[in-house]
Amino acid sequence: MFLRVARHTDDLDKIIDFNILGFELLGDFQNHNNYDGVFIGKSGLEWHFEFTKSDTKANHTFDPDDVIVLYPKSILDYNMLLDKIIHNNISIIPASNPFWNENGKMFLDPDGYRIVLSPLKAIIDEIN
C-alpha cells in the first residue's frame, strides 16, 4: 500500500521553498482540470505529500490537535533537522497535547499546519 497525503494551498512556491525537512520535489503537474500541483517526499519511500493549487482559495480549517508527526530514523537525523529549523528562524511552538511537548518539537508549515518532529522512533547512533 502507498500513502499520499494531499492538501490544497494558495502558494505552491512557498511550499516548495519550505524545504526544512530535506524533502525532494518528486514531480509536478500543471493545469490538470484547472489544478497545478507538486509531489514532495523522499525517493524510494511508499509515501509522499501532494500539494495542489487552483482558482479556488484554500479553506484551511483545522484545530491544534491536527498534526503531522515525522519520526527521523536516527538521533543524528533528528538533531540535524532540529538545527535546520532553528537556523532558519522557524519558531518551535507548544503543542496542545502535552505528549508532543515531551516527545518532540512542533512548528508550523507555510499554511499554518502543525508538524511535530519526534525522536521517539530514532535509532541511537553509534559514535566510533
Side-chain angles (χ1 to χ4, degrees), residues 10 17 43 91 93 120:
D10 290 326
D17 291 343
S43 183
S91 297
I93 62 170
L120 283 179

Side-chain angles (χ1 to χ4, degrees), residues 72-84:
K73 289 190 176 192
S74 71
I75 294 296
L76 180 62
D77 291 340
Y78 173 79
N79 287 333
M80 286 184 350
L81 289 169
L82 196 55
D83 286 346
K84 194 171 181 184

Side-chain angles (χ1 to χ4, degrees), residues 39-50:
F39 305 104
I40 297 173
K42 293 276 191 173
S43 183
L45 298 181
E46 294 182 350
W47 63 270
H48 63 264
F49 295 101
E50 172 186 340

